[in-house]
Amino acid sequence: MKGSDPSGFSTDASASARSDVDTRVWAMMADVLGIDPTLITPTLELGAVTAWDSIGHLNLMLEMETRFQVDVSPDMIGKLLSVAKICTWLEEHGR
């Protein structure tokens, strides 16, 4: 059964239920943080896994700029602190 969290992000963990952006974010996070993709959920936040610390977050933001061809302002870096927030922001600003 599919649901959504308050951000409107699908809470169904299956790849077929995710948008292209969601799937790309999952892959990026697994690559950059070196974590098992099954650990990635819409509610995963900065600090929830050891690899997603402050340095891991900066590495994610730099990779996101490259993969999605976006510019992330320093202010926005401090707001994109969960998978759901990253995916929602990229749906609006990414390529």
Side-chain angles (χ1 to χ4, degrees):
M1 182 165 125
K2 282 195 271 184
S4 63
D5 71 8
S7 71
F9 188 80
S10 174
T11 56
D12 184 339
S14 71
S16 63
R18 295 189 303 245
S19 74
D20 178 59
V21 167
D22 300 343
T23 300
R24 290 170 60 202
V25 168
W26 250 251
M28 175 189 70
M29 294 188 77
D31 290 347
V32 172
L33 299 177
I35 61 174
D36 185 328
T38 62
L39 296 175
I40 302 167
T41 66
T43 58
L44 186 69
E45 297 179 333
L46 173 73
V49 293
T50 304
W52 196 357
D53 58 9
S54 58
I55 299 299
H57 188 64
L58 289 176
N59 288 333
L60 275 175
M61 296 296 105
L62 291 170
E63 185 64 21
M64 188 169 81
E65 288 185 326
T66 300
R67 289 193 191 194
F68 291 88
Q69 301 175 348
V70 293
D71 290 319
V72 184
S73 70
D75 183 54
M76 190 53 60
I77 289 172
K79 294 178 182 178
L80 298 176
L81 303 177
S82 71
V83 173
K85 288 178 183 177
I86 290 169
C87 290
T88 300
W89 188 84
L90 283 170
E91 288 284 352
E92 296 171 1
H93 299 93
R95 294 184 184 98

